[in-house]
Amino acid sequence: MPNLPATYVTTTLRDGVVSLGARPFPRDALGAGTVVIKPDHLGICRADVKEILGSRDVMADRGPLFGHELVGAVAFAGAGTGFREGEPVTLNPNITSARTTGFAEYVLVHGTEEQLDQAVVRVPEPSRPDGVWMPEPFACVVHALRKLLHHTGLPSLRGKRAGIIGAGCAGLMFAMYARHLGAPVTVFNRGEPRRAFARQQGILADGEVLPLTDAAAPAHRDGFDIVIVATTVATPELLATAAGLAADGAVLFVYGGTRRGDSFPAGRADVDALRRRERLASVTYREKRIDLAGAYGCLREDYEEGFRLHARHPRDFPLERLASRRISLDEFPRRVMDMATGAADFPGKVLITVAPGE
Ligand SMILES: NC(=O)c1ccc[n+]([C@@H]2O[C@H](COP(=O)([O-])OP(=O)(O)OC[C@H]3O[C@@H](n4cnc5c(N)ncnc54)[C@H](OP(=O)(O)O)[C@@H]3O)[C@@H](O)[C@H]2O)c1
């Protein structure tokens, strides 16, 4: 294994503190069912920050998400994996918990050939230095909107009005895709910095992004056929705001931030279970019928659809414009701890570039 070093730099998350250090490379762990990925670029996700804070329910079947957004190349492929060294790949963290953190120079993924075929996804587009984007969060959004179309039986969102709460990375990708599917979009965001970022990057036009307080205005009440909640937490207040935006018969789609036992309206529909099991339930809210639904995670075909959409419709999906900041792996612990404590809040996506020598 000439390409693998004796030691490598990796991250540890322990008791809410992130640290970086060199470790012996675990050569003994390499087997026929192992793929080792050497990431070039990593993304920081809100879920990473939540895991630092301990405010995220970790699913046993997929393990912690800490360090799951990456693009890189296969550095080692066991004989039973179906991969080759050098292939450009990304990770789907929703398949197996038998993997190491992505916030490292090398990531080990173990599994059967079938599991690895889902967990390690080939990247068709060579990434340009100015064109880096993270396939995983987009694949989750592609998956979610496919689910929504499936639930509603609609072929597209043509003629449907889409309201999105949250102009974070997820909210902006929902806006891109819902617009591509034919819906006029309005994104409501609490703070000005993310609204400004969305406008400055040319992702949303002036009229497409509004303060969250505007959601209560009569002009928007009952005004949307699809309302997507894409915030860090789906608080009862935000769900009530979303339900206020929903027209009679609308779909209220919960994407971000539910925890075990969360319900809406209080005590009625289990929104966490609806999201994680990707189900739909109809509720009555203030004399309106609302279909509550959600989505969780993604599959290899969602990545493939994401790559296809980005390649064929680059103007509709300017995903590289979501990157707001580039940092090194050395800087990562300090920056992410600042994000966790609230000392820093970066709109868009913070990317980590792993230098070739790192
Ligand atoms: N279902 C899935 O498969 C899936 C997949 C990936 C991610 N997610 C979830 O999606 C969520 C959003 O991710 P992201 O990457 O978009 O995060 P992000 O870029 O950090 O954006 C977070 C958004 O939440 C808003 N927000 C946070 N707290 C709020 C509050 N109390 N009231 C109103 N708005 C609030 C922020 O608004 P401000 O600008 O005002 O702070 C911002 O718009 C996360 O919870 C993540 O875990 C779900």
Side-chain angles (χ1 to χ4, degrees), residues 150-200:
H150 168 80
H151 279 315
T152 53
L154 292 168
S156 76
L157 296 183
R158 204 160 303 286
K160 302 289 171 190
R161 299 154 299 176
I164 297 165
I165 302 187
C169 293
L172 296 183
M173 288 187 287
F174 271 115
M176 291 178 197
Y177 198 14
R179 219 167 31 193
H180 176 78
L181 290 169
V185 298
T186 309
V187 180
F188 298 92
N189 196 70
R190 178 183 60 177
E192 169 60 15
R194 283 189 174 79
R195 299 199 299 269
F197 178 76
R199 288 191 302 264
Q200 283 155 11

Coordinates of all heavy atoms in Angstrom, one line a residue, residues 150-200:
H150 N -43.8 12.4 -5.2 CA -44.3 11.1 -5.1 C -45.6 11.2 -4.2 O -46.6 10.6 -4.6 CB -43.3 10.2 -4.5 CG -43.8 8.9 -4.0 ND1 -44.1 7.8 -4.9 CD2 -44.2 8.4 -2.8 CE1 -44.6 6.8 -4.3 NE2 -44.7 7.1 -3.0
H151 N -45.5 11.8 -3.1 CA -46.7 11.9 -2.2 C -47.8 12.6 -2.8 O -49.0 12.2 -2.6 CB -46.3 12.7 -0.9 CG -45.5 12.0 0.1 ND1 -45.9 10.7 0.5 CD2 -44.4 12.3 0.9 CE1 -45.0 10.3 1.4 NE2 -44.2 11.2 1.7
T152 N -47.6 13.6 -3.6 CA -48.7 14.4 -4.2 C -49.1 13.9 -5.5 O -50.2 14.3 -6.0 CB -48.2 15.9 -4.4 OG1 -47.0 15.9 -5.1 CG2 -47.9 16.6 -3.1
G153 N -48.3 13.0 -6.1 CA -48.7 12.5 -7.4 C -48.5 13.5 -8.5 O -49.0 13.3 -9.6
L154 N -47.8 14.6 -8.2 CA -47.6 15.6 -9.2 C -46.3 15.3 -10.1 O -45.3 14.9 -9.6 CB -47.3 17.0 -8.6 CG -48.5 17.6 -7.8 CD1 -48.0 18.8 -6.9 CD2 -49.6 18.1 -8.8
P155 N -46.4 15.6 -11.4 CA -45.2 15.4 -12.2 C -44.2 16.5 -12.1 O -43.0 16.3 -12.3 CB -45.8 15.4 -13.7 CG -47.0 16.2 -13.6 CD -47.6 16.0 -12.2
S156 N -44.6 17.7 -11.6 CA -43.7 18.8 -11.4 C -44.4 19.8 -10.5 O -45.5 19.5 -9.9 CB -43.5 19.6 -12.8 OG -44.6 20.4 -13.1
L157 N -43.8 20.9 -10.2 CA -44.5 21.9 -9.3 C -45.0 23.1 -10.1 O -45.3 24.2 -9.6 CB -43.5 22.4 -8.3 CG -43.0 21.4 -7.3 CD1 -42.0 22.0 -6.3 CD2 -44.1 20.7 -6.6
R158 N -45.2 22.9 -11.4 CA -45.7 23.9 -12.3 C -47.0 24.4 -11.8 O -47.9 23.6 -11.5 CB -45.9 23.4 -13.7 CG -45.8 24.5 -14.8 CD -45.5 23.9 -16.2 NE -44.2 23.2 -16.2 CZ -43.0 23.8 -16.1 NH1 -42.9 25.1 -16.0 NH2 -41.9 23.0 -16.1
G159 N -47.1 25.8 -11.6 CA -48.4 26.3 -11.1 C -48.6 26.3 -9.6 O -49.5 26.8 -9.1
K160 N -47.6 25.7 -8.9 CA -47.7 25.6 -7.5 C -46.9 26.7 -6.8 O -45.8 27.0 -7.3 CB -47.2 24.2 -6.9 CG -47.9 23.0 -7.5 CD -49.3 22.9 -7.0 CE -50.2 21.9 -7.7 NZ -51.6 21.9 -7.3
R161 N -47.4 27.3 -5.8 CA -46.6 28.3 -5.1 C -45.8 27.7 -4.0 O -46.4 27.0 -3.1 CB -47.5 29.4 -4.6 CG -48.3 30.1 -5.7 CD -49.6 30.7 -5.1 NE -50.5 29.6 -4.6 CZ -51.7 29.9 -3.9 NH1 -52.1 31.1 -3.8 NH2 -52.4 28.9 -3.5
A162 N -44.5 27.9 -4.0 CA -43.7 27.3 -2.9 C -43.1 28.3 -2.0 O -42.5 29.3 -2.4 CB -42.5 26.5 -3.6
G163 N -43.4 28.1 -0.7 CA -42.9 29.0 0.4 C -41.8 28.2 1.1 O -42.1 27.0 1.5
I164 N -40.7 28.8 1.4 CA -39.6 28.0 2.1 C -39.2 28.8 3.3 O -39.0 30.1 3.2 CB -38.4 27.9 1.1 CG1 -38.9 27.0 -0.1 CG2 -37.2 27.2 1.9 CD1 -37.9 27.0 -1.3
I165 N -39.2 28.2 4.4 CA -38.7 28.9 5.6 C -37.2 28.5 5.9 O -36.9 27.3 6.1 CB -39.6 28.6 6.9 CG1 -41.0 29.0 6.6 CG2 -39.1 29.3 8.1 CD1 -42.0 28.9 7.8
G166 N -36.3 29.5 5.8 CA -34.9 29.2 6.0 C -34.2 29.4 4.7 O -34.5 28.8 3.7
A167 N -33.2 30.4 4.8 CA -32.4 30.7 3.6 C -30.9 30.1 3.9 O -30.0 30.7 3.4 CB -32.3 32.1 3.3
G168 N -30.9 29.1 4.6 CA -29.6 28.4 4.8 C -29.3 27.6 3.6 O -30.0 27.7 2.5
C169 N -28.3 26.7 3.6 CA -27.9 26.0 2.4 C -29.1 25.2 1.9 O -29.3 25.1 0.7 CB -26.7 25.1 2.8 SG -25.2 26.0 3.1
A170 N -29.8 24.5 2.9 CA -30.9 23.6 2.5 C -32.0 24.5 1.8 O -32.5 24.1 0.7 CB -31.4 22.9 3.7
G171 N -32.4 25.6 2.5 CA -33.4 26.4 1.9 C -33.1 26.9 0.5 O -34.0 27.0 -0.3
L172 N -31.8 27.3 0.3 CA -31.5 27.9 -1.0 C -31.5 26.8 -2.1 O -31.9 27.0 -3.2 CB -30.1 28.5 -0.9 CG -30.0 29.8 0.0 CD1 -28.6 30.4 -0.1 CD2 -31.1 30.8 -0.4
M173 N -31.1 25.5 -1.7 CA -31.1 24.5 -2.7 C -32.6 24.1 -3.0 O -32.9 23.8 -4.1 CB -30.3 23.3 -2.2 CG -28.8 23.5 -2.3 SD -27.8 22.1 -1.9 CE -28.1 22.0 -0.1
F174 N -33.4 24.1 -2.0 CA -34.9 23.9 -2.2 C -35.4 24.9 -3.2 O -36.2 24.6 -4.1 CB -35.7 23.9 -0.9 CG -35.8 22.6 -0.2 CD1 -35.2 22.4 1.0 CD2 -36.4 21.5 -0.8 CE1 -35.2 21.1 1.6 CE2 -36.5 20.3 -0.2 CZ -35.9 20.1 1.0
A175 N -35.0 26.2 -3.0 CA -35.5 27.2 -3.8 C -35.0 27.0 -5.3 O -35.8 27.1 -6.2 CB -34.9 28.6 -3.4
M176 N -33.8 26.6 -5.5 CA -33.3 26.3 -6.8 C -34.1 25.2 -7.5 O -34.5 25.3 -8.6 CB -31.8 25.8 -6.8 CG -30.8 26.9 -6.4 SD -29.1 26.1 -6.3 CE -28.2 27.3 -5.4
Y177 N -34.3 24.1 -6.7 CA -35.0 23.0 -7.3 C -36.5 23.2 -7.5 O -37.0 22.8 -8.6 CB -34.7 21.7 -6.5 CG -34.9 20.4 -7.2 CD1 -35.0 20.4 -8.6 CD2 -35.0 19.2 -6.5 CE1 -35.2 19.1 -9.2 CE2 -35.2 18.0 -7.1 CZ -35.3 18.0 -8.5 OH -35.5 16.8 -9.2
A178 N -37.1 23.8 -6.6 CA -38.5 24.1 -6.7 C -38.8 25.0 -7.9 O -39.7 24.8 -8.7 CB -39.1 24.7 -5.4
R179 N -37.9 26.0 -8.1 CA -38.0 26.9 -9.2 C -37.8 26.1 -10.5 O -38.5 26.3 -11.5 CB -36.9 28.0 -9.1 CG -37.3 29.4 -9.4 CD -36.4 30.4 -9.0 NE -35.0 30.0 -8.9 CZ -34.0 30.7 -8.3 NH1 -34.3 31.8 -7.7 NH2 -32.8 30.2 -8.2
H180 N -36.8 25.3 -10.5 CA -36.5 24.4 -11.7 C -37.8 23.6 -12.0 O -38.1 23.3 -13.2 CB -35.3 23.6 -11.4 CG -35.0 22.6 -12.5 ND1 -34.4 23.0 -13.7 CD2 -35.3 21.3 -12.7 CE1 -34.2 22.0 -14.5 NE2 -34.8 20.9 -13.9
L181 N -38.5 23.1 -11.0 CA -39.7 22.3 -11.2 C -40.9 23.1 -11.5 O -42.0 22.6 -11.7 CB -39.9 21.4 -10.0 CG -38.9 20.3 -9.7 CD1 -39.1 19.7 -8.3 CD2 -39.0 19.2 -10.8
G182 N -40.7 24.4 -11.7 CA -41.8 25.2 -12.2 C -42.6 26.1 -11.2 O -43.5 26.8 -11.5
A183 N -42.1 26.1 -9.9 CA -42.9 26.8 -8.9 C -42.2 28.2 -8.7 O -41.0 28.3 -8.6 CB -42.9 26.1 -7.6
P184 N -43.0 29.3 -8.6 CA -42.5 30.5 -8.1 C -42.1 30.3 -6.6 O -42.9 29.7 -5.9 CB -43.6 31.5 -8.3 CG -44.8 30.8 -8.6 CD -44.5 29.3 -8.9
V185 N -41.0 30.8 -6.2 CA -40.6 30.6 -4.8 C -40.5 31.9 -4.0 O -40.1 32.9 -4.5 CB -39.2 29.8 -4.7 CG1 -39.3 28.5 -5.4 CG2 -38.1 30.6 -5.3
T186 N -40.8 31.8 -2.7 CA -40.6 32.8 -1.8 C -39.9 32.2 -0.5 O -40.4 31.2 0.0 CB -41.9 33.5 -1.3 OG1 -42.7 33.8 -2.5 CG2 -41.7 34.7 -0.5
V187 N -38.7 32.8 -0.2 CA -38.0 32.2 0.9 C -38.1 33.2 2.1 O -37.8 34.4 1.9 CB -36.5 32.0 0.5 CG1 -35.7 31.4 1.7 CG2 -36.4 31.0 -0.7
F188 N -38.4 32.8 3.2 CA -38.5 33.6 4.4 C -37.4 33.3 5.3 O -37.2 32.1 5.7 CB -39.9 33.4 5.2 CG -41.1 33.7 4.3 CD1 -41.7 32.7 3.6 CD2 -41.6 35.0 4.3 CE1 -42.8 33.0 2.8 CE2 -42.7 35.3 3.5 CZ -43.3 34.3 2.8
N189 N -36.6 34.3 5.7 CA -35.5 34.0 6.6 C -35.4 35.0 7.8 O -35.6 36.2 7.6 CB -34.1 34.0 5.9 CG -33.0 33.4 6.7 OD1 -33.1 32.1 6.9 ND2 -32.1 34.1 7.2
R190 N -35.1 34.5 9.0 CA -35.1 35.3 10.2 C -34.1 36.5 10.1 O -34.5 37.6 10.2 CB -34.8 34.4 11.4 CG -34.7 35.1 12.7 CD -34.3 34.1 13.8 NE -33.0 33.5 13.5 CZ -32.4 32.7 14.3 NH1 -33.0 32.3 15.4 NH2 -31.3 32.1 14.0
G191 N -32.9 36.1 9.9 CA -31.8 37.2 9.9 C -31.5 37.7 8.5 O -31.7 37.1 7.5
E192 N -31.0 39.0 8.5 CA -30.6 39.6 7.3 C -29.4 39.0 6.6 O -29.3 38.9 5.4 CB -30.4 41.1 7.5 CG -29.8 41.9 6.4 CD -30.6 41.9 5.1 OE1 -31.7 41.5 5.0 OE2 -29.9 42.3 4.0
P193 N -28.3 38.6 7.4 CA -27.1 38.1 6.6 C -27.4 37.0 5.6 O -26.8 37.1 4.5 CB -26.2 37.6 7.8 CG -26.6 38.4 9.0 CD -28.1 38.6 8.8
R194 N -28.2 36.0 5.9 CA -28.4 35.0 4.9 C -29.3 35.5 3.8 O -29.2 35.1 2.6 CB -29.1 33.7 5.5 CG -28.0 32.9 6.3 CD -28.6 31.6 6.7 NE -27.5 30.8 7.3 CZ -27.0 30.9 8.5 NH1 -27.6 31.8 9.4 NH2 -26.0 30.2 9.0
R195 N -30.2 36.4 4.0 CA -31.0 37.0 2.9 C -30.1 37.8 2.0 O -30.1 37.7 0.8 CB -32.1 38.0 3.5 CG -33.1 37.3 4.4 CD -34.4 38.1 4.6 NE -34.2 39.4 5.2 CZ -34.2 39.7 6.5 NH1 -34.5 38.7 7.3 NH2 -34.1 41.0 6.9
A196 N -29.1 38.6 2.6 CA -28.2 39.3 1.8 C -27.3 38.4 1.0 O -27.0 38.7 -0.2 CB -27.3 40.2 2.7
F197 N -26.8 37.3 1.6 CA -25.9 36.4 0.9 C -26.7 35.8 -0.3 O -26.1 35.7 -1.4 CB -25.5 35.3 1.9 CG -24.7 34.2 1.2 CD1 -23.3 34.4 1.0 CD2 -25.2 33.0 0.9 CE1 -22.5 33.4 0.4 CE2 -24.4 32.0 0.3 CZ -23.1 32.2 0.1
A198 N -27.9 35.4 -0.1 CA -28.7 34.8 -1.2 C -28.8 35.8 -2.4 O -28.7 35.4 -3.6 CB -30.1 34.4 -0.7
R199 N -29.0 37.1 -2.1 CA -29.2 38.1 -3.1 C -27.8 38.4 -3.8 O -27.7 38.4 -5.0 CB -29.7 39.4 -2.5 CG -31.2 39.3 -2.2 CD -31.8 40.7 -1.9 NE -31.0 41.4 -0.8 CZ -31.4 41.4 0.5 NH1 -32.5 40.8 0.9 NH2 -30.7 42.0 1.4
Q200 N -26.8 38.6 -2.9 CA -25.5 38.9 -3.5 C -24.9 37.8 -4.4 O -24.2 38.1 -5.4 CB -24.5 39.1 -2.3 CG -24.6 40.4 -1.6 CD -24.1 40.4 -0.2 OE1 -23.4 39.5 0.2 NE2 -24.4 41.4 0.6

